[in-house]
């Protein structure tokens, strides 16, 4: 009863959405897919901003929608962050934050104080929205949504309207939300790097249908899906900083199955972090290749093979300890090396992205 | 002032102000929900209703006045109704003028409001809903403040247009001092009687008033704040 069960059917001219999902009641769930895949529409259905022709929504045991019930948006215990901050221009920052708080009998002022602290907007309270930068506005919008004391936070591509610099400014705050909020967060995005950083669970949408739904690491390691991620196919691993090499400015990240060296980002030993390894940065060898500039080498066993977008390419999933990596090879090199399921291989990792 | 304008002039001006104020207040009450509906509705009969609201913009005032005179008169549908309610008939009374002015100035209230409501878009209303505001609450706490410039424009235009009314007044109100002889009719009387000096004074008052109203409207631009 602690999860979110959503059935949503919409049939508009030129667009159809038909999903039946169970989403976890905690952590960050990414609704991921290309534009037009229906991810925003699905989020709007959950918020009650769109009314599906047939739908059913059970939120942690509360009926938000079924054949007889339709809970309007203002009576659903949710917070919503739109793509553009959409602050009320006639109210100050504080007025915006109080707007929802005043109307939520259950919400406590401490919740607002915590939201202001979480998003670092204490110095902006007296300002008018039009004097804020895009990043500041979006942080206020997130705090405003949190101030109502929601039981779920819905975010519709909150970073999409921002430039790279503003994104980098907000991402740490989103990570804090991920770590500190005990409510589920549904996050719509088409950016694989945001999903890799923030999500625990991922729903992949395509042309109005959910083509996959599952824990992030497992789902990203599925070979039938990376096609949809294109160049960004790869895996995300939970890791810990295991050692720092001060002389060479490198950090060792330990994950279940081995360790990899990457640039030292100043994180202390013992810090938990996510690493992302893209398929294009992984190469395979059947014997030890000898000295090479690629020093991250792991032993693994080929687990399965899958098609890539291009007929000349192949995706190979390799089991390394209890973790899985995906490598992108040409079909020719795979054939020449005799890559097949069960074959032991040396895995060379050219680059590792530390997500924090 | 009193040595300059005659008592009859002052009476006409006072009547005009009273008529325009009453009309504008009633129009705010009627025009606001109508404009909101026109801005938000997707019904097919929204366009025909919009066209009916705009009719006074193109119809000669005499046509509106004529139909009103018939409808409000002792044999008209509305006249029968007011008589059965013990109110008598409305033509040639102050309230008859108010009814006529409300209809005559309706587009000047509804169209600026409708434009202002449409300019808000759906997003602020959706945001308010996600912040627990009911639709009525959203209307007063978000739509009205954001449409405030539209309310000011609509109020000024309705007031000024009612002040400038002439043909409909003559048709429905006649020319009764203190009841229906508004400033524009008074000027007409002066000209009819060849009292050009009197006509000049009152006409000048109307001209200055109209200019000031329009000037105020052009200068007053709230909500257009500087910055991004």
């Amino acid at each position: 009863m602690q999860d979110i069960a959503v059935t949503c059917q919409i049939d508009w001219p030129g667009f159809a959405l038909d999903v039946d999902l169970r989403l976890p009641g905690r952590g960050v769930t990414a609704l991921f897919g290309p534009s037009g895949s229906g991810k925003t529409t699905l989020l709007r259905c959950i918020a009650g901003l769109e009314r599906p022709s047939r739908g059913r929504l059970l939120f942690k045991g509360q009926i938000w929608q079924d054949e007889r019930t339709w809970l309007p948006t203002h009576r659903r215990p949710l917070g919503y962050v739109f793509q553009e901050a959409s602050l009320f221009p006639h109210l100050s920052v504080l007025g915006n934050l109080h707007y929802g708080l005043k109307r939520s009998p259950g919400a406590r002022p401490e919740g607002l104080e915590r939201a202001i602290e979480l998003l670092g907007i204490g110095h902006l309270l007296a300002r008018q929205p039009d004097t804020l930068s895009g990043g500041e506005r979006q942080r206020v919008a997130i705090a405003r949504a949190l101030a109502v004391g929601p039981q779920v936070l819905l975010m519709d591509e909150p970073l999409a309207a921002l430039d790279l610099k503003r994104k980098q400014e907000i991402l740490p705050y989103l990570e804090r939300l991920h770590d500190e909020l005990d409510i589920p967060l549904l996050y719509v995005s088409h950016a694989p790097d945001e999903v890799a950083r923030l999500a625990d669970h991922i729903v992949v949408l395509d042309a109005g249908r959910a083509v996959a739904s599952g824990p992030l690491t497992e789902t990203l390691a599925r070979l039938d899906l990376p096609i949809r991620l294109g160049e960004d196919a790869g895996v995300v691993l939970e890791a810990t900083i295991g050692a720092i090499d001060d002389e060479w400015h490198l950090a060792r990240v330990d994950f279940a199955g081995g360790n990899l060296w990457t640039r030292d980002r100043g994180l202390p030993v013992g810090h938990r972090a996510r690493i992302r390894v893209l398929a294009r940065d992984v190469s395979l060898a059947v014997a030890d290749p000898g000295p090479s500039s690629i020093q991250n080498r792991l032993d693994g066993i080929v687990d399965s093979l899958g098609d890539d977008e291009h007929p000349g390419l192949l995706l190979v999933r390799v089991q390394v300890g209890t973790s899985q990596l995906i490598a992108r090879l040409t079909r020719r090199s795979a054939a020449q090396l005799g890559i097949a399921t069960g074959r032991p291989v040396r895995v060379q990792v050219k680059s590792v992205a530390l997500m924090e | 002032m009193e040595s300059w304008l005659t008592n009859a002039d002052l009476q006409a001006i006072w009547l005009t102000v009273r008529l325009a104020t009453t009309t504008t207040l009633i129009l705010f009450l009627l025009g606001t929900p109508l404009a909101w509906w026109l801005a938000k509705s997707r019904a097919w009969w929204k366009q025909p209703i919009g066209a009916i609201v705009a009719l006074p913009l193109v119809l000669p005032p005499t046509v509106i006045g004529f139909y009103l005179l018939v409808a409000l008169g002792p044999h008209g549908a509305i006249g029968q109704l007011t008589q059965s309610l013990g109110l008598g008939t409305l033509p040639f009374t102050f309230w008859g003028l108010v009814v006529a002015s409300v209809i005559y100035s309706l587009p000047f209230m509804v169209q600026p409001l409708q434009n202002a409501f449409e300019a808000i878009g759906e997003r602020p209303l959706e945001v308010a809903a996600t912040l627990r505001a009911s639709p009525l609450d959203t209307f007063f706490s978000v739509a009205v403040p954001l449409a405030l410039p539209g309310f000011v424009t609509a109020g000024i235009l309705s007031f000024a247009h009612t002040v400038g009314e002439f043909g409909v007044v003559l048709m429905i109100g006649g020319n009764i001092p203190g009841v229906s002889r508004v400033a524009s009719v008074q000027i007409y009387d002066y000209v009819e009687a060849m009292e050009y000096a009197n006509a000049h004074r009152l006409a000048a008052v109307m001209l200055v008033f109209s200019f000031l109203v329009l000037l105020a409207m052009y200068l007053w631009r709230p909500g257009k704040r500087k910055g991004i």
Side-chain angles (χ1 to χ4, degrees), chain A residues 89-158:
Chain A
H90 62 295
L91 299 175
S92 67
V93 167
L94 194 64
N96 269 279
L97 294 173
H98 275 292
Y99 187 92
L101 183 66
K102 277 194 297 207
R103 290 167 171 81
S104 315
R108 301 224 188 94
E110 304 89 78
L112 174 59
E113 279 164 33
R114 182 149 171 260
I116 290 171
E117 189 264 321
L118 256 176
L119 288 139
I121 54 169
H123 59 296
L124 304 173
L125 299 180
R127 303 261 293 270
Q128 287 299 122
D130 53 13
T131 66
L132 304 181
S133 75
E136 288 169 338
R137 274 203 287 263
Q138 199 55 280
R139 274 151 62 195
V140 173
I142 297 169
R144 180 175 67 175
L146 287 174
V148 301
Q151 292 179 30
V152 56
L153 184 61
L154 311 179
M155 302 181 103
D156 183 10
E157 307 214 36

Side-chain angles (χ1 to χ4, degrees), chain B residues 32-225:
Chain B
T32 306
L34 182 57
W36 181 255
W37 181 81
L38 284 170
K40 296 293 156 199
S41 171
R42 287 180 202 157
W44 66 266
W45 37 289
K46 162 187 162 166
Q47 308 302 348
I49 298 285
I52 290 172
V53 169
L55 266 182
L57 289 176
V58 293
L59 276 183
T62 46
V63 173
I64 299 170
F66 171 67
Y67 281 123
L68 279 173
L69 194 59
V70 172
L72 299 179
H75 304 296
I78 301 171
Q80 305 250 315
L81 180 74
T82 52
Q83 281 171 307
S84 70
L85 292 172
L87 299 171
T89 53
L90 288 173
F92 310 109
T93 67
F94 176 74
W95 288 101
L97 275 194
V98 170
V99 171
S101 304
V102 163
I103 290 169
Y104 184 55
S105 294
L106 189 62
F108 291 84
M109 176 62 71
V110 169
Q111 292 193 346
L113 283 183
Q114 185 184 343
N115 290 338
F117 287 145
E118 280 169 353
I120 295 174
E122 283 303 310
R123 183 49 51 81
L125 312 178
E126 290 182 350
V127 171
T130 68
L131 295 171
R132 311 283 183 278
S134 68
L136 191 67
D137 184 358
T138 301
F139 178 77
F140 285 108
S141 63
V142 175
V144 170
L146 291 184
L148 199 59
F151 275 94
V152 172
T153 306
I156 290 176
L157 281 178
S158 301
F159 187 91
H161 189 246
T162 307
V163 168
E165 185 178 326
F166 173 71
V168 176
V169 175
L170 267 193
M171 293 293 285
I172 199 85
N175 192 352
I176 307 166
V179 174
S180 62
R181 186 182 288 168
V182 296
S184 57
V185 176
Q186 178 84 333
I187 294 170
Y188 179 74
D189 282 352
Y190 282 140
V191 176
E192 285 269 275
M194 309 279 267
E195 295 173 31
Y196 276 34
N198 285 332
H200 262 305
R201 280 201 298 270
L202 201 49
V205 170
M206 296 288 275
L207 180 71
V208 170
F209 165 79
S210 304
F211 173 74
L212 289 178
V213 163
L214 291 177
L215 183 67
M217 235 175 66
Y218 279 101
L219 292 178
W220 199 79
R221 281 275 178 276
K224 291 247 157 63
R225 298 194 186 91

Side-chain angles (χ1 to χ4, degrees), chain A residues 78-92:
Chain A
L78 52 82
Y80 199 107
V81 179
F82 292 86
Q83 188 172 333
E84 329 80 49
S86 310
L87 299 181
F88 294 129
H90 62 295
L91 299 175
S92 67

Side-chain angles (χ1 to χ4, degrees), chain A residues 243-245 250-253 259-263 295-296 352:
Chain A
I244 303 288
D245 184 335
L250 294 175
R252 196 188 77 205
V253 284
N259 56 63
L260 295 163
W261 287 92
T262 182
R263 275 178 292 176
Q295 297 201 321
N296 280 321
V352 180

